[in-house]
Amino acid sequence: DAGVTQSPTHLIKTRGQQVTLRCSPISGHKSVSWYQQVLGQGPQFIFQYYEKEERGRGNFPDRFSARQFPNYSSELNVNALLLGDSALYLCASSLAGRLYNEQFFGPGTRLTVL
Amino acid sequence: AQKITQTQPGMFVQEKEAVTLDCTYDTSDQSYGLFWYKQPSSGEMIFLIYQGSYDEQNATEGRYSLNFQKARKSANLVISASQLGDSAMYFCAMREGDTGRRALTFGSGTRLQVQP
């Protein structure tokens, strides 16, 4: 069975540009979460979507937005990129938003902002 | 206050020996879950083990076990019979239940190096 997939793998952008990252969850999983992992730190929660509705949002500016599609895939958009947005962006899927459902992570998209 | 604290930035262990990675957490929720993930240099987060706050027994998954001490708010990961492939970053994470928040809060991680 395919795991969580993310595209692109790597991305280089310049300050002020906009970027869209994509995630496909494991088949049957309805919950998708996005995390930002800056080098040397643990992942930080950005968004969670369940059944196409936003169920949680972390402490990130409005430049960050996301959506989930009817097939449960998801996109993360970041506008007006800053140097500090350079990070590994991880997508995770789970069966539902239940406490005990483990989240399965994708390989991540490494974003570099110059 | 830090929700998840991992006080060991780096750890060394000899191959075939056991190692304990420390994790303490802070929450006022009665219902919560604790997770450990492994992150190799490739970047992917690999789920290792889960412990629920109401679970009476410590979780075990193969060579991984979780030493859960609720009163001390600690959830240490024990890896038995270390292998060279265990060298990676290890993250402790928590999901709090009472507030309905389903996001994982991660610690800063411990880099484990297994020596031959």
Side-chain angles (χ1 to χ4, degrees), chain A residues 35 37 40-45 48 57-58 88 90 94 97-107 110, chain B residues 31-33 35 37 39 41-45 47 50 53 91 95-97 100-104 106-108:
Chain A
Y35 293 82
Q37 186 178 20
Q41 298 181 16
Q44 297 289 316
F45 170 71
Q48 188 199 13
R57 182 185 182 118
L88 180 67
L90 295 163
S94 61
R98 300 191 187 280
L99 187 65
Y100 50 83
N101 289 140
E102 63 261 35
Q103 295 190 349
F104 296 88
F105 284 81
R110 193 165 297 279
Chain B
S31 177
Y32 53 90
F35 301 77
Y37 285 86
Q39 187 177 42
S41 56
S42 60
E44 187 168 353
M45 301 286 282
F47 167 75
Y50 166 81
S53 57
F91 290 96
R95 178 184 287 147
E96 296 167 286
R101 178 179 167 87
R102 292 293 181 258
L104 287 171
F106 286 84
S108 56

Side-chain angles (χ1 to χ4, degrees), chain A:
Chain A
D1 287 344
V4 179
T5 59
Q6 292 185 244
S7 63
T9 306
H10 295 86
L11 206 52
I12 299 175
K13 293 284 188 178
T14 57
R15 281 178 295 175
Q17 285 188 313
Q18 175 264 341
V19 68
T20 298
L21 311 180
R22 296 176 176 82
C23 170
S24 292
I26 292 171
S27 178
H29 285 194
K30 299 181 178 181
S31 177
V32 170
S33 299
W34 287 94
Y35 293 82
Q36 180 197 64
Q37 186 178 20
V38 173
L39 193 63
Q41 298 181 16
Q44 297 289 316
F45 170 71
I46 311 175
F47 284 109
Q48 188 199 13
Y49 278 79
Y50 177 65
E51 286 282 16
K52 292 154 282 183
E53 291 187 2
E54 182 182 307
R55 291 299 183 93
R57 182 185 182 118
N59 189 23
F60 280 81
D62 291 343
R63 300 185 295 107
F64 289 77
S65 63
R67 55 180 174 169
Q68 187 176 32
F69 298 99
N71 65 353
Y72 302 110
S73 67
S74 177
E75 285 183 352
L76 175 70
N77 295 285
V78 186
N79 293 323
L81 285 167
L82 303 174
L83 295 179
D85 295 332
S86 295
L88 180 67
Y89 288 84
L90 295 163
C91 172
S93 78
S94 61
L95 271 172
R98 300 191 187 280
L99 187 65
Y100 50 83
N101 289 140
E102 63 261 35
Q103 295 190 349
F104 296 88
F105 284 81
T109 293
R110 193 165 297 279
L111 172 65
T112 302
V113 182
L114 301 176

Side-chain angles (χ1 to χ4, degrees), chain B:
Chain B
Q2 292 283 344
K3 291 261 186 180
I4 297 287
T5 302
Q6 294 181 255
T7 58
Q8 307 153 313
M11 289 282 286
F12 289 91
V13 66
Q14 290 293 123
E15 196 177 6
K16 299 180 185 177
E17 292 188 349
V19 62
T20 298
L21 306 183
D22 294 341
C23 172
T24 57
Y25 60 91
D26 182 30
T27 181
S28 56
D29 285 7
Q30 296 300 309
S31 177
Y32 53 90
L34 297 158
F35 301 77
W36 277 92
Y37 285 86
K38 171 184 178 182
Q39 187 177 42
S41 56
S42 60
E44 187 168 353
M45 301 286 282
I46 301 168
F47 167 75
L48 296 178
I49 197 166
Y50 166 81
Q51 179 85 42
S53 57
Y54 294 117
D55 295 340
E56 295 187 352
Q57 292 193 336
N58 287 341
T60 59
E61 289 285 349
R63 294 187 299 110
Y64 304 108
S65 61
L66 200 151
N67 184 1
F68 181 46
Q69 297 188 42
K70 196 170 182 177
R72 293 186 175 184
K73 293 190 174 179
S74 74
N76 299 337
L77 177 70
V78 180
I79 305 174
S80 62
S82 297
Q83 302 172 356
L84 295 178
D86 293 335
S87 294
M89 284 291 291
Y90 287 81
F91 290 96
C92 179
M94 176 173 64
R95 178 184 287 147
E96 296 167 286
D98 291 356
T99 61
R101 178 179 167 87
R102 292 293 181 258
L104 287 171
T105 300
F106 286 84
S108 56
T110 296
R111 180 172 299 281
L112 177 66
Q113 295 187 56
V114 181
Q115 296 175 320

